[in-house]
Amino acid sequence: RGGLLGLTIGLALQLEPHGIRVNAIAPEPPGAGEPVTAEDQAVYEREFPLGVVGARAIADACLYLARPSGGHVSGAVLNATGDSWRGL
């Protein structure tokens, strides 16, 4: 994740003067997007109360960056993993 952060910030610094915003969306843990059982879902919801993961989380992050409300964001790495990676 440190490499992703460094690359995103470095590219943003180089391209922002040309009006180009650079952002990244953090990848999900292995197995993301695979079907889960009701039991697995219950465990996930207990551990990660945001409860948003998979394609929906990534699509929401993309929509945010594409909308005018995200137009001021550049050099950021959005954690769209449903809170499964806390911190950086």
Side-chain angles (χ1 to χ4, degrees):
R1 291 193 36 112
L4 177 64
L5 180 61
L7 177 65
T8 303
I9 291 172
L11 287 173
L13 289 171
Q14 291 179 8
L15 298 173
E16 285 172 0
H18 304 286
I20 300 171
R21 296 181 300 127
V22 178
N23 296 291
I25 298 172
E28 295 210 27
E34 295 178 8
V36 296
T37 65
E39 182 180 334
D40 290 340
Q41 183 66 29
V43 169
Y44 175 83
E45 289 173 1
R46 273 195 314 274
E47 292 179 7
F48 306 107
L50 291 178
V52 180
V53 72
R56 178 176 161 215
I58 294 172
D60 288 348
C62 290
L63 287 173
Y64 168 71
L65 291 172
R67 290 183 177 146
S69 59
H72 64 282
V73 179
S74 187
V77 177
L78 297 183
N79 182 359
T81 61
D83 199 25
S84 60
W85 282 354
R86 293 182 176 101
L88 193 124

